[in-house]
């Protein structure tokens, strides 16, 4: 149909084609319209043949275009509406998660009670470990601190709160935590608590931990999953980083999350 | 027993690294590195020594494995 619209003059020379191209037996508006276009052969030329004028080619095209645009517009509007509804549902789910999930009720290394809501409004990088850890926890905490320092050095970025939570509540008292965190960063917060509180916090962050067998001097190593968790200012779990990620990679990722963050809480 | 401080940790790691360097140079011959071994044992908690020994074993195994020294047994290859 478009081809015909673009080259009506060509058909002027072939009026007899009309009978071949438009068999009456085939129905359909498009065919009928095409036949009418063929028989029109341009508004200027039909005057001689004495055929009824009716709406010209341009008008028909305009009507079709408007109709098409209308349909397209309706489809786009429906799609946008559906997307909006989906976003609202997601925001609602995130709001519930922000309040209900990943909560903890622990003591910091100064003996003050802390829960997740205390960190609302702040980005948090969290690591679970224990003070008697031979090498992994100090390495991961060093890495975490490097990330915090890299981001601190950039003006315009909010400060990230580093948190270290113990998976060894039996030995990691408030004093032990205080001694441990001072070696890393002045803002590193150590959190500890009772065995139940630690179990609850670890469960909420899907952290596995298992104390190994004790040796002669009652020392033991706690096997545990290794990850640095990122929480956004709404308190929502946003990302996690394993041993393979470098400090630069983590800092890049945190920067990206900061740039794209939009709060879901009122 | 309090956890080792950062200084103590670093002393332990240093002793461990010296000991491991000696083992690397002497193809795992423990008798050639006795002095460094006792220095290592006095710098680190016992649990850590056990842990680092196991870690060394694992790292050596991983090296061999990656160098292709382990071939699948005939039966497992056919299954």
């Amino acid at each position: 149909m478009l081809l015909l619209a673009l080259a009506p003059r060509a058909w002027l020379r072939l009026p007899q084609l009309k009978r071949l191209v438009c068999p009456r037996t085939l129905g359909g508006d498009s065919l009928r319209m095409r036949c009418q276009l063929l028989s029109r052969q341009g508004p200027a030329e039909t005057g001689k043949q004495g055929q009824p004028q009716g709406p010209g080619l341009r008008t028909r095209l305009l009507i079709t275009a408007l109709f098409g645009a209308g349909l397209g517009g309706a489809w786009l509007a429906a799609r946008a509406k559906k997307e909006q509804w989906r976003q609202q549902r997601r925001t609602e789910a995130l709001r519930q998660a922000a309040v209900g999930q990943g909560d903890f009720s622990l003591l910091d290394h100064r003996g003050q009670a802390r829960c997740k809501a205390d960190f609302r409004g702040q980005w948090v990088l969290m690591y679970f470990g224990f003070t008697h850890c031979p090498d992994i926890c100090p390495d991961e905490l060093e890495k975490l601190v490097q990330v915090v320092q890299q981001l601190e050095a950039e003006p315009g970025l909010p400060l990230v709160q580093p948190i270290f939570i113990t998976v060894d509540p039996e030995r990691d008292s408030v004093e032990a935590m205080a001694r441990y965190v001072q070696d890393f960063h002045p803002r590193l917060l150590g959190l500890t608590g009772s065995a139940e509180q630690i179990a609850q916090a670890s469960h909420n962050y899907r952290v596995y931990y298992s104390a190994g067998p004790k040796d002669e001097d009652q020392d033991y190593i706690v096997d545990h999953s290794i990850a640095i968790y990122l929480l956004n200012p709404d308190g929502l779990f946003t990302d996690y980083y394993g041993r393979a990620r470098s400090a630069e990679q983590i800092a890049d990722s945190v920067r990206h999350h900061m740039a794209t963050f939009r709060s879901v809480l009122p | 027993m309090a956890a080792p401080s950062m200084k103590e940790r670093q002393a332990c790691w240093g002793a461990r690294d010296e000991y491991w360097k000696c083992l690397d140079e002497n193809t795992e011959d423990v008798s050639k590195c006795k002095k460094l071994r006792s220095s290592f044992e006095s710098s680190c908690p016992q649990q850590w020594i056990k842990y680092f020994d196991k870690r060394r074993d694992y790292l050596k195994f991983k090296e061999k494995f990656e160098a292709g020294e382990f071939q699948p047994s005939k039966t497992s290859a056919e299954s």
Side-chain angles (χ1 to χ4, degrees):
Chain A
M1 201 162 115
L2 261 173
L3 276 173
L4 292 173
L6 289 170
R9 297 257 177 88
W11 294 102
L12 284 175
R13 301 185 198 116
L14 307 160
Q16 54 270 50
L17 259 179
K18 179 182 77 177
R19 276 176 218 107
L20 292 167
V21 169
C22 308
R24 294 273 157 87
T25 47
L26 288 175
D29 281 335
S30 59
L31 271 175
R32 223 171 290 135
M33 267 175 97
R34 206 193 289 163
C35 295
Q36 285 170 333
L37 279 171
L38 279 172
S39 56
R40 286 299 151 233
Q41 298 177 16
E45 285 76 14
T46 50
K48 285 190 196 157
Q49 297 177 11
Q51 286 177 354
Q53 280 296 317
L57 171 61
R58 240 176 267 149
T59 319
R60 279 177 202 285
L61 273 177
L62 191 62
I63 292 170
T64 315
L66 280 174
F67 188 58
L71 273 177
W75 178 74
L76 280 172
R79 207 172 72 142
K81 203 80 206 275
K82 183 177 166 195
E83 185 59 37
Q84 198 188 33
W85 180 75
R86 225 170 53 82
Q87 281 284 64
Q88 275 173 353
R89 284 268 304 264
R90 182 169 159 72
T91 303
E92 195 42 54
L94 284 176
R95 225 175 254 163
Q96 285 185 6
V99 173
Q101 276 182 17
D103 201 4
F104 50 78
S105 163
L106 299 165
L107 283 177
D108 70 17
H109 64 268
R110 295 183 191 98
Q112 233 190 320
R114 300 289 207 135
C115 66
K116 194 182 75 160
D118 294 342
F119 302 97
R120 179 98 75 90
Q122 285 183 291
W123 289 90
V124 172
L125 277 173
M126 200 185 251
Y127 177 73
F128 286 79
F130 64 112
T131 67
H132 282 74
C133 184
D135 53 356
I136 298 178
C137 302
D139 279 348
E140 291 295 293
L141 276 173
E142 269 302 335
K143 192 169 75 177
L144 199 160
V145 162
Q146 273 172 28
V147 174
V148 171
Q149 285 170 336
Q150 276 182 32
L151 296 171
E152 262 173 352
E154 285 174 49
L157 284 186
L159 289 179
V160 177
Q161 173 62 57
I163 294 185
F164 171 61
I165 302 185
T166 182
V167 291
D168 186 10
E170 208 181 295
R171 285 186 296 187
D172 290 344
S173 62
V174 168
E175 294 79 24
M177 295 298 272
R179 272 197 303 271
Y180 194 74
V181 299
Q182 69 185 358
D183 282 334
F184 292 95
H185 191 281
R187 288 189 302 112
L188 176 63
L189 197 70
L191 293 180
T192 182
S194 69
E196 292 81 28
Q197 287 170 325
I198 293 290
Q200 187 217 16
S202 309
H203 173 79
N204 288 338
Y205 289 94
R206 307 292 187 270
V207 172
Y208 156 79
Y209 65 103
S210 168
K214 289 187 184 164
D215 66 8
E216 295 92 24
D217 49 7
Q218 303 301 301
D219 197 2
Y220 56 90
I221 290 190
V222 181
D223 189 22
H224 61 93
S225 48
I226 300 164
I228 294 174
Y229 295 92
L230 176 68
L231 302 185
N232 70 17
D234 283 346
L236 276 175
F237 165 65
T238 299
D239 210 341
Y240 75 96
Y241 311 104
R243 285 205 79 187
R245 304 273 220 122
S246 72
E248 286 75 24
Q249 288 171 328
I250 299 176
D252 276 341
S253 169
V254 176
R255 244 181 252 122
H256 168 81
H257 285 299
M258 281 178 171
T260 55
F261 170 66
R262 243 191 232 128
S263 179
V264 296
L265 294 175
Chain B
M1 192 189 76
S5 68
M6 178 67 103
K7 284 214 173 79
E8 288 163 349
R9 278 199 295 271
Q10 283 170 339
C12 168
W13 295 341
R16 173 203 65 186
D17 290 339
E18 293 283 299
Y19 176 60
W20 283 4
K21 206 167 75 169
C22 172
L23 286 180
D24 282 339
E25 288 164 2
N26 290 294
T27 58
E28 308 302 304
D29 189 354
V30 184
S31 60
K32 296 238 167 72
C33 307
K34 278 207 180 114
K35 207 166 127 211
L36 287 170
R37 174 80 190 179
S38 56
S39 153
F40 169 46
E41 282 175 2
S42 59
S43 312
C44 303
Q46 211 184 36
Q47 275 284 301
W48 289 25
I49 294 167
K50 285 189 207 157
Y51 170 84
F52 287 133
D53 284 343
K54 272 194 246 172
R55 178 117 184 108
R56 173 96 183 157
D57 268 345
Y58 168 71
L59 289 172
K60 287 284 141 194
F61 168 77
K62 198 169 128 178
E63 254 177 48
K64 285 196 188 146
F65 191 78
E66 282 169 352
E69 281 182 31
F70 292 106
Q71 298 299 325
S73 70
K74 264 201 123 163
T75 45
S76 69
E78 283 159 13
S79 65

